[in-house]
PDB file of all heavy atoms in Angstrom:
ATOM      1  N   ALA M   4     102.993  81.990 104.134  1.00 89.00           N
ATOM      2  CA  ALA M   4     104.421  82.310 104.266  1.00 89.00           C
ATOM      3  C   ALA M   4     105.275  81.390 103.402  1.00 89.00           C
ATOM      4  O   ALA M   4     106.223  81.844 102.736  1.00 89.00           O
ATOM      5  CB  ALA M   4     104.837  82.196 105.733  1.00 89.00           C
ATOM      6  N   VAL M   5     104.946  80.111 103.383  1.00 87.00           N
ATOM      7  CA  VAL M   5     105.725  79.144 102.596  1.00 87.00           C
ATOM      8  C   VAL M   5     105.613  79.456 101.106  1.00 87.00           C
ATOM      9  O   VAL M   5     106.613  79.481 100.377  1.00 87.00           O
ATOM     10  CB  VAL M   5     105.237  77.700 102.881  1.00 87.00           C
ATOM     11  CG1 VAL M   5     105.827  76.716 101.871  1.00 87.00           C
ATOM     12  CG2 VAL M   5     105.608  77.289 104.293  1.00 87.00           C
ATOM     13  N   LEU M   6     104.384  79.730 100.633  1.00 89.00           N
ATOM     14  CA  LEU M   6     104.183  79.988  99.211  1.00 89.00           C
ATOM     15  C   LEU M   6     104.805  81.316  98.781  1.00 89.00           C
ATOM     16  O   LEU M   6     105.431  81.403  97.713  1.00 89.00           O
ATOM     17  CB  LEU M   6     102.695  79.977  98.882  1.00 89.00           C
ATOM     18  CG  LEU M   6     102.015  78.594  98.952  1.00 89.00           C
ATOM     19  CD1 LEU M   6     100.509  78.720  98.770  1.00 89.00           C
ATOM     20  CD2 LEU M   6     102.588  77.641  97.913  1.00 89.00           C
ATOM     21  N   LEU M   7     104.669  82.356  99.591  1.00 90.00           N
ATOM     22  CA  LEU M   7     105.268  83.645  99.249  1.00 90.00           C
ATOM     23  C   LEU M   7     106.791  83.562  99.257  1.00 90.00           C
ATOM     24  O   LEU M   7     107.459  84.121  98.378  1.00 90.00           O
ATOM     25  CB  LEU M   7     104.790  84.724 100.224  1.00 90.00           C
ATOM     26  CG  LEU M   7     103.342  85.185 100.032  1.00 90.00           C
ATOM     27  CD1 LEU M   7     102.916  86.096 101.168  1.00 90.00           C
ATOM     28  CD2 LEU M   7     103.170  85.896  98.693  1.00 90.00           C
ATOM     29  N   THR M   8     107.341  82.842 100.242  1.00 91.00           N
ATOM     30  CA  THR M   8     108.790  82.653 100.275  1.00 91.00           C
ATOM     31  C   THR M   8     109.265  81.908  99.034  1.00 91.00           C
ATOM     32  O   THR M   8     110.270  82.264  98.413  1.00 91.00           O
ATOM     33  CB  THR M   8     109.199  81.881 101.539  1.00 91.00           C
ATOM     34  OG1 THR M   8     108.790  82.617 102.695  1.00 91.00           O
ATOM     35  CG2 THR M   8     110.708  81.677 101.588  1.00 91.00           C
ATOM     36  N   GLY M   9     108.506  80.865  98.666  1.00 89.00           N
ATOM     37  CA  GLY M   9     108.852  80.106  97.466  1.00 89.00           C
ATOM     38  C   GLY M   9     108.831  80.971  96.219  1.00 89.00           C
ATOM     39  O   GLY M   9     109.715  80.859  95.361  1.00 89.00           O
ATOM     40  N   TYR M  10     107.843  81.861  96.134  1.00 89.00           N
ATOM     41  CA  TYR M  10     107.765  82.731  94.962  1.00 89.00           C
ATOM     42  C   TYR M  10     108.963  83.669  94.874  1.00 89.00           C
ATOM     43  O   TYR M  10     109.585  83.806  93.811  1.00 89.00           O
ATOM     44  CB  TYR M  10     106.473  83.550  94.989  1.00 89.00           C
ATOM     45  CG  TYR M  10     106.445  84.608  93.909  1.00 89.00           C
ATOM     46  CD1 TYR M  10     106.204  84.263  92.583  1.00 89.00           C
ATOM     47  CD2 TYR M  10     106.713  85.940  94.199  1.00 89.00           C
ATOM     48  CE1 TYR M  10     106.208  85.212  91.579  1.00 89.00           C
ATOM     49  CE2 TYR M  10     106.717  86.907  93.199  1.00 89.00           C
ATOM     50  CZ  TYR M  10     106.472  86.534  91.893  1.00 89.00           C
ATOM     51  OH  TYR M  10     106.489  87.480  90.901  1.00 89.00           O
ATOM     52  N   TYR M  11     109.303  84.317  95.985  1.00 87.00           N
ATOM     53  CA  TYR M  11     110.388  85.301  95.943  1.00 87.00           C
ATOM     54  C   TYR M  11     111.758  84.632  95.772  1.00 87.00           C
ATOM     55  O   TYR M  11     112.638  85.184  95.110  1.00 87.00           O
ATOM     56  CB  TYR M  11     110.340  86.177  97.192  1.00 87.00           C
ATOM     57  CG  TYR M  11     109.199  87.151  97.143  1.00 87.00           C
ATOM     58  CD1 TYR M  11     108.106  87.038  98.004  1.00 87.00           C
ATOM     59  CD2 TYR M  11     109.167  88.165  96.181  1.00 87.00           C
ATOM     60  CE1 TYR M  11     107.039  87.915  97.926  1.00 87.00           C
ATOM     61  CE2 TYR M  11     108.089  89.042  96.092  1.00 87.00           C
ATOM     62  CZ  TYR M  11     107.037  88.916  96.973  1.00 87.00           C
ATOM     63  OH  TYR M  11     105.976  89.784  96.881  1.00 87.00           O
ATOM     64  N   LEU M  12     111.913  83.427  96.308  1.00 85.00           N
ATOM     65  CA  LEU M  12     113.157  82.689  96.059  1.00 85.00           C
ATOM     66  C   LEU M  12     113.258  82.299  94.596  1.00 85.00           C
ATOM     67  O   LEU M  12     114.339  82.371  93.981  1.00 85.00           O
ATOM     68  CB  LEU M  12     113.221  81.443  96.946  1.00 85.00           C
ATOM     69  CG  LEU M  12     113.463  81.679  98.434  1.00 85.00           C
ATOM     70  CD1 LEU M  12     113.408  80.364  99.208  1.00 85.00           C
ATOM     71  CD2 LEU M  12     114.821  82.363  98.661  1.00 85.00           C
ATOM     72  N   SER M  13     112.114  81.881  94.012  1.00 82.00           N
ATOM     73  CA  SER M  13     112.092  81.518  92.593  1.00 82.00           C
ATOM     74  C   SER M  13     112.385  82.732  91.723  1.00 82.00           C
ATOM     75  O   SER M  13     113.118  82.647  90.734  1.00 82.00           O
ATOM     76  CB  SER M  13     110.728  80.926  92.240  1.00 82.00           C
ATOM     77  OG  SER M  13     110.613  80.711  90.854  1.00 82.00           O
ATOM     78  N   ALA M  14     111.807  83.878  92.093  1.00 76.00           N
ATOM     79  CA  ALA M  14     112.013  85.101  91.314  1.00 76.00           C
ATOM     80  C   ALA M  14     113.469  85.560  91.368  1.00 76.00           C
ATOM     81  O   ALA M  14     113.995  86.138  90.412  1.00 76.00           O
ATOM     82  CB  ALA M  14     111.096  86.203  91.825  1.00 76.00           C
ATOM     83  N   ARG M  15     114.134  85.287  92.470  1.00 74.00           N
ATOM     84  CA  ARG M  15     115.539  85.684  92.601  1.00 74.00           C
ATOM     85  C   ARG M  15     116.462  84.776  91.786  1.00 74.00           C
ATOM     86  O   ARG M  15     117.472  85.223  91.253  1.00 74.00           O
ATOM     87  CB  ARG M  15     115.970  85.644  94.069  1.00 74.00           C
ATOM     88  CG  ARG M  15     115.383  86.768  94.914  1.00 74.00           C
ATOM     89  CD  ARG M  15     115.858  86.689  96.330  1.00 74.00           C
ATOM     90  NE  ARG M  15     117.313  86.820  96.427  1.00 74.00           N
ATOM     91  CZ  ARG M  15     117.999  86.742  97.567  1.00 74.00           C
ATOM     92  NH1 ARG M  15     117.367  86.535  98.695  1.00 74.00           N
ATOM     93  NH2 ARG M  15     119.315  86.875  97.560  1.00 74.00           N
ATOM     94  N   ARG M  16     116.104  83.488  91.700  1.00 68.00           N
ATOM     95  CA  ARG M  16     116.947  82.533  90.967  1.00 68.00           C
ATOM     96  C   ARG M  16     116.842  82.737  89.467  1.00 68.00           C
ATOM     97  O   ARG M  16     117.795  82.561  88.732  1.00 68.00           O
ATOM     98  CB  ARG M  16     116.563  81.093  91.320  1.00 68.00           C
ATOM     99  CG  ARG M  16     117.084  80.621  92.660  1.00 68.00           C
ATOM    100  CD  ARG M  16     117.029  79.100  92.729  1.00 68.00           C
ATOM    101  NE  ARG M  16     115.725  78.576  92.363  1.00 68.00           N
ATOM    102  CZ  ARG M  16     114.745  78.341  93.227  1.00 68.00           C
ATOM    103  NH1 ARG M  16     114.923  78.601  94.505  1.00 68.00           N
ATOM    104  NH2 ARG M  16     113.602  77.857  92.818  1.00 68.00           N
ATOM    105  N   THR M  17     115.626  83.021  89.008  1.00 58.00           N
ATOM    106  CA  THR M  17     115.399  83.174  87.563  1.00 58.00           C
ATOM    107  C   THR M  17     114.664  84.470  87.314  1.00 58.00           C
ATOM    108  O   THR M  17     114.163  85.120  88.234  1.00 58.00           O
ATOM    109  CB  THR M  17     114.560  82.000  87.018  1.00 58.00           C
ATOM    110  OG1 THR M  17     113.298  82.008  87.671  1.00 58.00           O
ATOM    111  CG2 THR M  17     115.261  80.674  87.246  1.00 58.00           C
ATOM    112  N   ALA M  18     114.546  84.820  86.070  1.00 51.00           N
ATOM    113  CA  ALA M  18     113.755  86.000  85.727  1.00 51.00           C
ATOM    114  C   ALA M  18     112.324  85.743  86.137  1.00 51.00           C
ATOM    115  O   ALA M  18     111.776  84.673  85.897  1.00 51.00           O
ATOM    116  CB  ALA M  18     113.836  86.273  84.229  1.00 51.00           C
ATOM    117  N   SER M  19     111.688  86.716  86.728  1.00 44.00           N
ATOM    118  CA  SER M  19     110.313  86.573  87.178  1.00 44.00           C
ATOM    119  C   SER M  19     109.406  86.312  85.994  1.00 44.00           C
ATOM    120  O   SER M  19     109.472  87.019  84.996  1.00 44.00           O
ATOM    121  CB  SER M  19     109.863  87.843  87.902  1.00 44.00           C
ATOM    122  OG  SER M  19     108.525  87.728  88.312  1.00 44.00           O
ATOM    123  N   PRO M  20     108.527  85.276  86.074  1.00 45.00           N
ATOM    124  CA  PRO M  20     107.635  84.991  84.955  1.00 45.00           C
ATOM    125  C   PRO M  20     106.700  86.155  84.698  1.00 45.00           C
ATOM    126  O   PRO M  20     106.122  86.708  85.619  1.00 45.00           O
ATOM    127  CB  PRO M  20     106.845  83.753  85.428  1.00 45.00           C
ATOM    128  CG  PRO M  20     106.965  83.761  86.914  1.00 45.00           C
ATOM    129  CD  PRO M  20     108.290  84.396  87.223  1.00 45.00           C
ATOM    130  N   VAL M  21     106.574  86.529  83.459  1.00 45.00           N
ATOM    131  CA  VAL M  21     105.740  87.673  83.097  1.00 45.00           C
ATOM    132  C   VAL M  21     104.448  87.182  82.469  1.00 45.00           C
ATOM    133  O   VAL M  21     104.463  86.387  81.544  1.00 45.00           O
ATOM    134  CB  VAL M  21     106.484  88.601  82.115  1.00 45.00           C
ATOM    135  CG1 VAL M  21     105.601  89.778  81.738  1.00 45.00           C
ATOM    136  CG2 VAL M  21     107.786  89.076  82.732  1.00 45.00           C
ATOM    137  N   ALA M  22     103.346  87.641  82.991  1.00 44.00           N
ATOM    138  CA  ALA M  22     102.045  87.252  82.437  1.00 44.00           C
ATOM    139  C   ALA M  22     101.868  87.899  81.076  1.00 44.00           C
ATOM    140  O   ALA M  22     102.403  88.969  80.813  1.00 44.00           O
ATOM    141  CB  ALA M  22     100.930  87.702  83.381  1.00 44.00           C
ATOM    142  N   PRO M  23     101.101  87.250  80.181  1.00 48.00           N
ATOM    143  CA  PRO M  23     100.877  87.814  78.853  1.00 48.00           C
ATOM    144  C   PRO M  23     100.310  89.228  78.900  1.00 48.00           C
ATOM    145  O   PRO M  23     100.607  90.044  78.055  1.00 48.00           O
ATOM    146  CB  PRO M  23      99.867  86.830  78.237  1.00 48.00           C
ATOM    147  CG  PRO M  23     100.094  85.543  78.956  1.00 48.00           C
ATOM    148  CD  PRO M  23     100.497  85.924  80.340  1.00 48.00           C
ATOM    149  N   SER M  24      99.473  89.504  79.912  1.00 47.00           N
ATOM    150  CA  SER M  24      98.880  90.835  80.027  1.00 47.00           C
ATOM    151  C   SER M  24      98.633  91.121  81.487  1.00 47.00           C
ATOM    152  O   SER M  24      97.554  90.858  82.003  1.00 47.00           O
ATOM    153  CB  SER M  24      97.560  90.884  79.241  1.00 47.00           C
ATOM    154  OG  SER M  24      97.021  92.170  79.250  1.00 47.00           O
ATOM    155  N   PRO M  25      99.658  91.575  82.225  1.00 48.00           N
ATOM    156  CA  PRO M  25      99.568  91.650  83.670  1.00 48.00           C
ATOM    157  C   PRO M  25      98.451  92.564  84.146  1.00 48.00           C
ATOM    158  O   PRO M  25      98.087  93.539  83.503  1.00 48.00           O
ATOM    159  CB  PRO M  25     100.941  92.195  84.086  1.00 48.00           C
ATOM    160  CG  PRO M  25     101.464  92.872  82.872  1.00 48.00           C
ATOM    161  CD  PRO M  25     100.922  92.126  81.711  1.00 48.00           C
ATOM    162  N   ALA M  26      97.902  92.212  85.316  1.00 49.00           N
ATOM    163  CA  ALA M  26      96.796  92.985  85.864  1.00 49.00           C
ATOM    164  C   ALA M  26      97.261  94.348  86.311  1.00 49.00           C
ATOM    165  O   ALA M  26      98.404  94.550  86.687  1.00 49.00           O
ATOM    166  CB  ALA M  26      96.193  92.231  87.055  1.00 49.00           C
ATOM    167  N   THR M  27      96.368  95.292  86.253  1.00 48.00           N
ATOM    168  CA  THR M  27      96.639  96.630  86.753  1.00 48.00           C
ATOM    169  C   THR M  27      95.886  96.822  88.055  1.00 48.00           C
ATOM    170  O   THR M  27      95.002  96.047  88.404  1.00 48.00           O
ATOM    171  CB  THR M  27      96.174  97.691  85.740  1.00 48.00           C
ATOM    172  OG1 THR M  27      94.752  97.624  85.660  1.00 48.00           O
ATOM    173  CG2 THR M  27      96.783  97.447  84.374  1.00 48.00           C
ATOM    174  N   GLU M  28      96.226  97.874  88.789  1.00 47.00           N
ATOM    175  CA  GLU M  28      95.550  98.130  90.053  1.00 47.00           C
ATOM    176  C   GLU M  28      94.068  98.422  89.828  1.00 47.00           C
ATOM    177  O   GLU M  28      93.241  98.218  90.690  1.00 47.00           O
ATOM    178  CB  GLU M  28      96.220  99.314  90.769  1.00 47.00           C
ATOM    179  CG  GLU M  28      97.638  98.996  91.248  1.00 47.00           C
ATOM    180  CD  GLU M  28      97.656  97.815  92.226  1.00 47.00           C
ATOM    181  OE1 GLU M  28      96.733  97.699  93.038  1.00 47.00           O
ATOM    182  OE2 GLU M  28      98.600  97.017  92.167  1.00 47.00           O
ATOM    183  N   ASN M  29      93.725  98.933  88.634  1.00 51.00           N
ATOM    184  CA  ASN M  29      92.342  99.294  88.374  1.00 51.00           C
ATOM    185  C   ASN M  29      91.444  98.100  88.122  1.00 51.00           C
ATOM    186  O   ASN M  29      90.252  98.151  88.367  1.00 51.00           O
ATOM    187  CB  ASN M  29      92.262 100.248  87.170  1.00 51.00           C
ATOM    188  CG  ASN M  29      92.861 101.596  87.494  1.00 51.00           C
ATOM    189  OD1 ASN M  29      92.816 102.025  88.638  1.00 51.00           O
ATOM    190  ND2 ASN M  29      93.425 102.253  86.484  1.00 51.00           N
ATOM    191  N   ASP M  30      92.027  97.015  87.584  1.00 56.00           N
ATOM    192  CA  ASP M  30      91.131  95.909  87.242  1.00 56.00           C
ATOM    193  C   ASP M  30      91.341  94.672  88.108  1.00 56.00           C
ATOM    194  O   ASP M  30      90.688  93.671  87.902  1.00 56.00           O
ATOM    195  CB  ASP M  30      91.244  95.530  85.760  1.00 56.00           C
ATOM    196  CG  ASP M  30      92.619  95.009  85.370  1.00 56.00           C
ATOM    197  OD1 ASP M  30      93.447  94.755  86.265  1.00 56.00           O
ATOM    198  OD2 ASP M  30      92.853  94.852  84.172  1.00 56.00           O
ATOM    199  N   ARG M  31      92.218  94.751  89.115  1.00 48.00           N
ATOM    200  CA  ARG M  31      92.403  93.599  89.986  1.00 48.00           C
ATOM    201  C   ARG M  31      91.422  93.681  91.161  1.00 48.00           C
ATOM    202  O   ARG M  31      91.492  94.616  91.959  1.00 48.00           O
ATOM    203  CB  ARG M  31      93.826  93.535  90.527  1.00 48.00           C
ATOM    204  CG  ARG M  31      94.067  92.323  91.405  1.00 48.00           C
ATOM    205  CD  ARG M  31      95.480  92.321  91.967  1.00 48.00           C
ATOM    206  NE  ARG M  31      96.443  92.178  90.901  1.00 48.00           N
ATOM    207  CZ  ARG M  31      97.521  92.907  90.788  1.00 48.00           C
ATOM    208  NH1 ARG M  31      97.765  93.869  91.642  1.00 48.00           N
ATOM    209  NH2 ARG M  31      98.356  92.717  89.777  1.00 48.00           N
ATOM    210  N   PRO M  32      90.477  92.734  91.309  1.00 50.00           N
ATOM    211  CA  PRO M  32      89.518  92.799  92.406  1.00 50.00           C
ATOM    212  C   PRO M  32      90.151  92.339  93.711  1.00 50.00           C
ATOM    213  O   PRO M  32      91.175  91.664  93.709  1.00 50.00           O
ATOM    214  CB  PRO M  32      88.430  91.814  91.972  1.00 50.00           C
ATOM    215  CG  PRO M  32      89.172  90.818  91.142  1.00 50.00           C
ATOM    216  CD  PRO M  32      90.255  91.576  90.433  1.00 50.00           C
ATOM    217  N   ALA M  33      89.563  92.751  94.806  1.00 46.00           N
ATOM    218  CA  ALA M  33      90.029  92.273  96.102  1.00 46.00           C
ATOM    219  C   ALA M  33      89.712  90.793  96.219  1.00 46.00           C
ATOM    220  O   ALA M  33      88.607  90.357  95.932  1.00 46.00           O
ATOM    221  CB  ALA M  33      89.321  93.039  97.226  1.00 46.00           C
TER     222      ALA M  33
END
């Protein structure tokens, strides 16, 4: 909860960091 809250607060303050090649639903493992 603390880490997820920190992420969404960070994303709201600044532009969300974009990965060089973001994962897709097809290649992200559980």
Side-chain angles (χ1 to χ4, degrees):
V5 168
L6 290 173
L7 286 172
T8 300
Y10 172 76
Y11 287 111
L12 288 176
S13 173
R15 288 181 61 182
R16 283 197 309 269
T17 61
S19 179
V21 179
S24 184
T27 66
E28 292 301 323
N29 291 330
D30 63 10
R31 182 182 295 134

